[in-house]
Amino acid sequence: MSYRIAGIDVHKKMLAVVVSNVEVESEFQFERRMFGGNPEQLRLLAAWLLEQEAEEVVMESTAQYWKPVWGALERYWKPIREKREGAKRRSGTLHLAQAQSNRGRRGRKKDFVDAERLVKRLVARELTLSFVPDVEQRLWRAVTRKKYQLRRDVVRLNNQLESLLEETHIKLSSLVSDLLGVSARRMLKALADGETNPAALAALAHQRLRATPEQLCDALGACTELKPVYRRLLKMTLEHSVNRVPKATILREIIGDIPPPGSLAWC
């Protein structure tokens, strides 16, 4: 009886791939082949694995380079192995091994040896495998991570602005909850452009702002002695925040375009 498993040592530009029958009493006899990392080579890899009748594939989670390999096999190899006549229970299974669990002895790295070790340790259940969600979950994960990164960037910019203003004795953050909001942005932009009159800056605030003009004038009083260097730093920080709102709007549109989980659009 034959049950063949493939091991892939993943690099940025090339893949070392081995396949062997694992239901043998003696040493595994590996078929070896090198592939590139471009899309055409990944399709050739999937075709070769089908030709070799590999039932399972195990690869190492090397940086982010495993993702296109996984995606190509998920598209071109996995469905064919799962749906073929006589398919076994685990036919078409992809495994992602944590690199730490496949470490070899110290010395020069050998690609095919690493791929062979993946197969041997998978059979011996010595690998630590990572959970890889399906395509739908991976898409939602990418979007939510980007949303978190944008939110984190906004918080970071707010903190930078507050730190800079406190250093210049401008207490605007005591009266305005969001330094990147409409009112604060108007006043800070004018301040960065060289405005030195506190009353003129206070007049730029939105009428719905709770702080009174007198309070704003008091908080912005230090603008009369603000050094040009601080104005340039303030302008630079504000320029970094210009694209945050459009990006957040685009991200909301992207989220709205994604089909809800479990809908027929994913089928």
Side-chain angles (χ1 to χ4, degrees):
M1 183 179 291
S2 176
Y3 191 86
R4 298 171 69 79
I5 296 179
I8 305 177
D9 188 41
V10 181
H11 297 263
K12 184 174 183 177
K13 295 183 179 180
M14 70 91 178
L15 312 170
V17 188
V18 300
V19 181
S20 175
N21 179 19
V22 297
E23 293 188 346
V24 292
E25 297 294 335
S26 57
E27 282 286 320
F28 294 165
Q29 300 299 314
F30 289 97
E31 297 284 341
R32 301 176 178 86
R33 189 162 172 181
M34 300 290 290
F35 290 90
N38 59 61
E40 180 60 30
Q41 286 288 300
L42 294 179
R43 285 191 288 270
L44 291 175
L45 166 63
W48 187 72
L49 291 176
L50 290 171
E51 179 186 320
Q52 292 293 318
E53 298 183 344
E55 301 288 352
E56 300 180 44
V57 175
V58 57
M59 67 187 75
E60 191 174 283
S61 57
T62 308
Q64 306 298 319
Y65 306 137
W66 63 271
K67 291 184 176 180
V69 184
W70 185 283
L73 295 182
E74 198 173 43
R75 181 176 181 181
Y76 300 113
W77 170 80
K78 182 182 175 74
I80 297 175
R81 294 310 296 178
E82 287 179 334
K83 296 176 182 178
R84 71 181 178 85
E85 186 177 350
K88 297 180 174 61
R89 184 173 62 88
R90 296 192 65 81
S91 293
T93 302
L94 288 165
H95 303 284
L96 183 67
Q98 295 181 16
Q100 189 72 20
S101 64
N102 192 46
R103 293 187 65 178
R105 295 180 179 179
R106 288 190 176 184
R108 186 174 180 179
K109 181 177 173 63
K110 296 181 180 180
D111 302 319
F112 283 123
V113 173
D114 291 345
E116 292 169 7
R117 191 187 309 114
L118 279 169
V119 174
K120 293 175 182 178
R121 290 188 173 177
L122 178 67
V123 173
R125 298 183 179 181
E126 295 176 351
L127 292 175
T128 303
L129 301 177
S130 298
F131 169 71
V132 180
D134 57 27
V135 177
E136 175 185 348
Q137 288 179 292
R138 294 204 299 271
L139 180 59
W140 276 102
R141 177 183 285 183
V143 173
T144 52
R145 280 179 175 172
K146 186 62 179 177
K147 182 179 179 181
Y148 168 74
Q149 289 170 359
L150 283 175
R151 187 178 300 168
R152 185 180 60 184
D153 289 344
V154 170
V155 172
R156 179 175 55 82
L157 283 168
N158 250 312
N159 291 339
Q160 288 178 354
L161 274 174
E162 185 170 13
S163 175
L164 184 59
L165 294 175
E166 290 292 332
E167 189 172 342
T168 58
H169 301 172
I170 293 176
K171 306 292 290 184
L172 186 61
S173 60
S174 300
L175 303 174
V176 178
S177 59
D178 184 9
L179 289 175
L180 295 175
V182 175
S183 295
R185 188 182 290 274
R186 286 177 186 169
M187 290 183 279
L188 292 177
K189 185 178 183 304
L191 185 62
D193 289 339
E195 181 61 64
T196 58
N197 185 355
L201 292 174
L204 296 173
H206 195 279
Q207 60 182 3
R208 294 179 62 183
L209 190 67
R210 291 185 178 182
T212 64
E214 292 76 17
Q215 290 175 322
L216 289 172
C217 286
D218 183 48
L220 296 164
C223 71
T224 57
E225 301 175 353
L226 191 63
K227 295 180 180 179
V229 173
Y230 284 118
R231 294 185 190 273
R232 293 177 64 182
L233 290 174
L234 179 59
K235 188 172 186 177
M236 186 186 304
T237 306
L238 289 173
E239 286 174 351
H240 279 301
S241 67
V242 168
N243 293 326
R244 301 301 169 189
V245 174
K247 283 183 179 179
T249 303
I250 293 171
L251 188 60
R252 283 194 293 270
E253 293 175 356
I254 292 173
I255 293 174
D257 291 338
I258 300 176
S263 70
L264 293 177
W266 294 100
C267 301

